[in-house]
Amino acid sequence: MAKSATILVKLVSTADTGFYYVTKKNPRSVTEKMEFRKYDPVVKKHVAFKEAKIK
């Protein structure tokens, strides 16, 4: 079997609430770090989420 092209990454809230999402990423086609504006239920707002490694 071939190795999967996708890896799991953690999207951490920039509002320093500790809230995060886990998503998949294809590192062959998307080489830069991902950044999205998503909903953070702790602060009840849309904030920027930046990519971090899953430990």
Side-chain angles (χ1 to χ4, degrees), residues 22-50:
V22 175
T23 188
K24 292 180 186 176
K25 171 184 170 178
N26 185 346
R28 294 177 190 165
S29 62
V30 182
T31 55
E32 65 276 354
K33 294 208 177 231
M34 297 189 331
E35 182 174 341
F36 294 108
R37 282 186 52 84
K38 292 178 77 63
Y39 184 72
D40 189 341
V42 179
V43 292
K44 299 179 183 164
K45 290 183 184 178
H46 280 81
V47 296
F49 280 76
K50 291 190 177 182

